[in-house]
């Protein structure tokens, strides 16, 4: 279940309260149960996965992908798997731990581990959102945000795309003020 930390240190734990804070930025957060079949449980407990295992995880969650495809026209999905031994993990994370936006929506469904999304709200306030298994997040295009892992340095998340062209980060000049949320 997600947690939101405001710039003044206040912590919000209720999904409705968190959704209210994120609404002005157009960011939506929902809770989708992770389907815990025994195969999925085994795969999600493993730090790394082969391509075939990733596809098995994705297939196991396709009830959600099919819903997004039918309602919003999503075309594809893939699975991000990061864990402490992932080659080049620090370089990869550094790319997203700077404030940026994308020219397409960033849509993620967290299956394992945890991560922190930060957002710049329309008034300039910065907030940090801890996402955990079952959290589905939709960040609209052009919304300034950042992302990093927690000290666990582990996450598995489905990414949903209408196209793959728009998700390259476009960096902005906004200074990151919330440097150590959830530490
Ligand atoms: Fe991003």
């Amino acid at each position: 279940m997600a947690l939101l930390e405001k710039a003044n240190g206040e912590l919000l734990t209720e999904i409705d309260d968190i959704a209210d804070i994120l609404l002005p930025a157009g960011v939506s957060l929902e809770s989708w149960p992770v389907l815990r079949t025994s195969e999925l449980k085994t795969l999600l407990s493993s730090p790394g996965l082969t391509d075939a295992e990733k596809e098995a995880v994705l297939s196991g969650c396709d009830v959600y992908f099919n819903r997004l495809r039918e309602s919003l026209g999503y075309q594809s999905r893939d699975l991000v798997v990061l864990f402490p031994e992932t080659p080049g993990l620090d370089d990869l994370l550094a790319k997203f731990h700077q404030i940026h936006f994308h020219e397409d929506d960033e849509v993620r469904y967290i299956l394992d581990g945890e991560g922190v999304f930060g957002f710049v709200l329309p008034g300039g306030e910065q907030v940090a959102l801890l996402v955990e298994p079952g959290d589905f997040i939709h960040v609209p295009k052009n919304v300034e945000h950042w992302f990093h892992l927690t000290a666990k340095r582990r996450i598995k998340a489905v990414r949903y795309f209408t196209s793959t062209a728009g998700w390259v980060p476009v960096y902005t000049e906004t200074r990151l003020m919330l440097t150590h949320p959830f530490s």
Side-chain angles (χ1 to χ4, degrees):
M1 198 45 150
L3 294 173
L4 184 132
E5 186 172 325
K6 297 175 75 174
N8 63 6
E10 185 187 349
L11 204 60
L12 302 184
T13 57
E14 297 295 326
I15 191 164
D16 290 345
D17 296 338
I18 294 171
D20 283 349
I21 297 288
L22 298 178
L23 185 65
V27 175
S28 63
L29 174 72
E30 295 177 31
S31 181
W32 292 2
V34 178
L35 307 173
R36 297 209 175 266
T37 61
S38 58
E39 185 193 15
L40 264 182
K41 249 186 189 168
T42 306
L43 291 170
L44 293 177
S45 66
S46 171
L49 297 175
T50 65
D51 286 347
E53 288 170 333
K54 286 182 185 177
E55 188 52 41
V57 170
L58 289 166
S59 299
C61 302
D62 268 351
V63 60
Y64 297 130
F65 175 51
N66 292 338
R67 196 186 292 172
L68 288 170
R69 189 158 50 181
E70 283 159 24
S71 61
L72 296 168
Y74 276 76
Q75 299 291 323
S76 60
R77 80 286 190 259
D78 68 10
L79 186 70
V80 175
V81 176
L82 300 175
F83 54 105
E85 292 78 25
T86 297
L89 181 61
D90 287 326
D91 290 342
L92 183 68
L93 292 175
K95 276 198 228 171
F96 298 103
H97 201 167
Q98 297 176 52
I99 294 181
H100 64 275
F101 64 86
H102 305 275
E103 290 168 355
D104 197 0
D105 297 2
E106 182 166 332
V107 183
R108 303 286 184 266
Y109 176 42
I110 314 303
L111 294 175
D112 174 66
E114 57 187 29
V116 178
F117 275 96
F119 300 102
V120 182
L121 300 179
E125 184 189 356
Q126 297 183 12
V127 296
L129 179 74
L130 179 74
V131 289
E132 297 178 306
D135 290 329
F136 172 83
I137 186 160
H138 185 149
V139 184
K141 64 182 175 184
N142 300 329
V143 170
E144 286 185 297
H145 65 277
W146 70 92
F147 177 81
H148 59 88
L149 292 181
T150 65
K152 293 180 182 171
R153 292 168 63 83
R154 169 170 166 148
I155 198 165
K156 292 185 184 68
V158 185
R159 308 188 298 180
Y160 299 98
F161 302 104
T162 50
S163 80
T164 52
W167 80 277
V168 175
V170 179
Y171 298 108
T172 70
E173 299 295 316
T174 308
R175 216 174 105 225
L176 207 161
M177 309 296 281
L178 280 180
T179 49
H180 299 290
F182 303 107
S183 57

